[in-house]
Amino acid sequence: MYLIIDVGNTRVKAAVYEQGSLEELVVFKKSKIISELKKIIKKNNISSSIISSVASISIEKKKKITDLLDPIFVSSATKVPFINKYKTPKTLGVDRIALASAAVQQFPKQNVLVIDAGTCITYEFVNREREYLGGAISPGVQMRYNALHTFTAKLPLLSSETVEDAIGVDTNTSIHSGVVNGVCREIDGVIQQYKEKYQDLTVVLTGGDTYFLAKQLKSVIFAHPNFVLEGLHTILNYNLAND
């Protein structure tokens, strides 16, 4: 069994894979990472593991994790199944590395655009030659709501809601229209930009806002909320095979 760990800013996703299939997924607070990992290890026969962290982990916790699992800690130096053409490869986030890895593994010999709709919205492009060329980063849905509240005097702080009409009839519906329609039109527009250059484009939508956005987008996409975990699983297999 393999243990795949994705550490976010506040939450951790830990997935147990057996023979290539996701058997168990546990989500917990980052502060409980050691105790929760101990529970998973006690319950499962873990042979190999990998960890990706977009947020910092203290030296003390990192040592405890190493003592528990001796995992691969994903970094820019980790072996990956794609050719990294990013001009500053050392600055490429580990989550973006995982997404590119999932893209080349699940959609071989295809031009793939992966859109991760989480805290930020990231766009990752891998061509049919397994070359990662880069992408884009923009504010996520909730970040846009937060910005409207934080940087104005009177606008309220709202959470995302499905927009039924582009015309907001009061302050709240105007905010929802601006944020949600803005994000959807951005994503549709970026997809169209890529399709103008790569007509055979495959598009994957992942991240915490996957299902919220998928039903509101005009573009045809594959919705896969756990694509980062799939990518980490791919990286682990790739490193085990190439040791």
Side-chain angles (χ1 to χ4, degrees):
M1 290 183 170
Y2 295 166
L3 179 56
I4 314 299
I5 307 162
D6 177 24
V7 182
N9 291 304
T10 58
R11 298 190 310 162
V12 178
K13 286 184 177 181
V16 177
Y17 280 77
E18 185 171 19
Q19 296 182 342
S21 297
L22 177 61
E23 297 296 323
E24 181 182 7
L25 176 61
V26 183
V27 182
F28 48 86
K29 291 182 179 179
K30 182 183 162 188
S31 59
K32 296 183 177 181
I33 187 169
I34 301 302
S35 61
E36 292 294 333
L37 289 181
K38 285 180 178 178
K39 290 178 186 177
I40 295 170
I41 293 167
K42 186 177 181 179
K43 184 179 175 182
N44 301 280
N45 182 23
I46 304 299
S47 59
S48 298
S49 59
I50 189 169
I51 183 167
S52 162
S53 179
V54 297
S56 60
I57 301 175
S58 68
I59 294 174
E60 180 185 0
K61 284 189 176 179
K62 192 170 183 179
K63 185 180 184 304
K64 287 181 178 179
I65 294 170
T66 301
D67 291 340
L68 285 171
L69 292 163
D70 192 24
I72 294 173
F73 285 90
V74 180
S75 71
S76 60
T78 305
K79 297 175 187 175
V80 292
F82 62 87
I83 301 166
N84 193 344
K85 294 273 191 167
Y86 208 53
K87 287 189 176 180
T88 55
K90 290 183 178 180
T91 70
L92 186 62
V94 290
D95 52 339
R96 302 177 75 188
I97 291 171
L99 293 171
S101 298
V104 299
Q105 193 276 329
Q106 297 201 17
F107 301 97
K109 297 182 180 180
Q110 296 183 46
N111 295 311
V112 186
L113 177 65
V114 183
I115 304 166
D116 186 357
T119 303
C120 292
I121 300 172
T122 64
Y123 301 83
E124 319 301 340
F125 180 71
V126 181
N127 66 19
R128 60 174 65 254
E129 284 78 36
R130 301 172 75 91
E131 295 174 328
Y132 173 79
L133 302 185
I137 304 171
S138 71
V141 174
Q142 193 57 48
M143 189 182 291
R144 298 182 195 212
Y145 281 111
N146 293 348
L148 287 174
H149 174 66
T150 301
F151 297 111
T152 63
K154 295 183 179 180
L155 292 181
L157 178 59
L158 305 178
S159 296
S160 57
E161 289 185 8
T162 300
V163 173
E164 303 295 339
D165 196 320
I167 301 173
V169 296
D170 55 25
T171 299
N172 284 14
T173 55
S174 293
I175 291 173
H176 289 309
S177 178
V179 171
V180 178
N181 278 320
V183 168
C184 291
R185 297 297 80 76
E186 173 194 309
I187 292 173
D188 281 326
V190 171
I191 292 172
Q192 185 57 38
Q193 279 185 313
Y194 276 85
K195 283 186 174 179
E196 288 173 2
K197 189 172 183 179
Y198 305 95
Q199 295 181 357
D200 56 345
L201 185 70
T202 298
V203 182
V204 179
L205 179 65
T206 189
D209 286 322
T210 298
Y211 293 128
F212 173 72
L213 293 174
K215 59 188 177 183
Q216 300 178 80
L217 293 172
K218 295 179 180 178
S219 304
V220 177
I221 58 170
F222 290 97
H224 198 318
N226 293 317
F227 213 57
V228 168
L229 294 175
E230 294 290 337
L232 293 174
H233 183 239
T234 297
I235 295 171
L236 178 57
N237 278 327
Y238 187 78
N239 280 265
L240 292 174
N242 290 278
D243 272 346

